[in-house]
Amino acid sequence: EVQLVESGGGLVQPGRSLRLSCAASGFTFNDFGMHWVRQAPGKGLEWVSGMHWNGDAIGYADSVKGRFTISRDRTKTSLYLQMNSLISEDTALYYCAKGYTAYYSTGGVDVWGQGTMVTVSS
Amino acid sequence: QTVVTQEPSLSVSPGGTVTLTCGLTSGSVLTTFYPTWYQQTPGQAPRTLIYSTASRTNVRSSGVPDRFSGSILGNKAALTITEAQADDESDYYCMLYLGNFIWAFGGGTKLTVL
C-alpha cells in the first residue's frame, strides 16, 4: 500500500523557518515525481512545488518562490520542503503527494498524504 | 497571469447528471495541460478521480466508479457525474499543468446533491 506520512508542522513565528518531511513507502520512490500541495483553513487547494524523480526539474508557485525549497533523499525515500521567511499567508495544511510518472510535469497527483499543519503566527 | 477557473457551486438531483468544468482565464485547456480531478469531503485529504499523463488521457483512478468521467468540452476540461448519489456531495478541484514546470488548481466547485 502506498503511504505518505508528513511531519514537521507546527506553530512558528513570522519570519522564521520550518522544514517539512514526507516519508514514502509502498512504492519505488525513486521512480516518481513528487509534489507539495497546501490548503489554508477553509480555502481551496494550492499547488506549492514539484520535483522530477531525479531532481532535474523543480517548480514553485509564485507565492513561495525564493522562500521555499523542495528536495528529496533517495536513500531515505523521503521528500522535504524547507520553508524560510514564513508569513501568515503560509498557514495551511501541507500535503505531500505522489505523481503519476517520473516527471511531475506530465501528470498530476496520484496519492495524497494526510497532511501536516503549519501555523504562522506571533 | 493565467488563472484556472471552476464554477463555485453546482447542484444536482439524486440520479441526475452534472458536468463540472475547468477553464483558463486566457486560452483553451488541451490534453497537454494534463487535467486532473479531485474530490474532497470536509476533514479529509483529497481523492484523485480522473487523471491524464503524456500517454493516457482522462483515466479513472483505481476504485473510482464509472459514473465519473473526464473529457475536454470546447475549450475546457470537464468532469461529468452521472447517476448522482448523496455521497457525491463534496468539493471538486481540477488541476492543470500551465507549463514551465508549474501546476495550478482551480478554486473548486462545491457540489450539492438535492
Side-chain angles (χ1 to χ4, degrees), chain A residues 74-92:
Chain A
R74 299 169 65 85
T75 59
K76 294 182 179 179
T77 65
S78 293
L79 184 72
Y80 305 98
L81 187 67
Q82 177 67 42
M83 305 186 296
N84 299 332
S85 303
L86 284 161
I87 59 179
S88 58
E89 289 81 0
D90 295 321
T91 294

Side-chain angles (χ1 to χ4, degrees), chain A residues 35-82:
Chain A
H35 301 259
W36 285 100
V37 175
R38 70 184 181 183
Q39 187 169 33
K43 302 296 185 182
L45 300 172
E46 181 185 13
W47 180 82
V48 173
S49 181
M51 169 180 264
H52 280 356
W53 68 282
N54 59 2
D56 274 3
I58 289 174
Y60 298 97
D62 285 345
S63 58
V64 307
K65 194 176 299 182
R67 300 187 299 119
F68 289 12
T69 303
I70 189 173
S71 63
R72 60 194 297 164
D73 186 320
R74 299 169 65 85
T75 59
K76 294 182 179 179
T77 65
S78 293
L79 184 72
Y80 305 98
L81 187 67
Q82 177 67 42

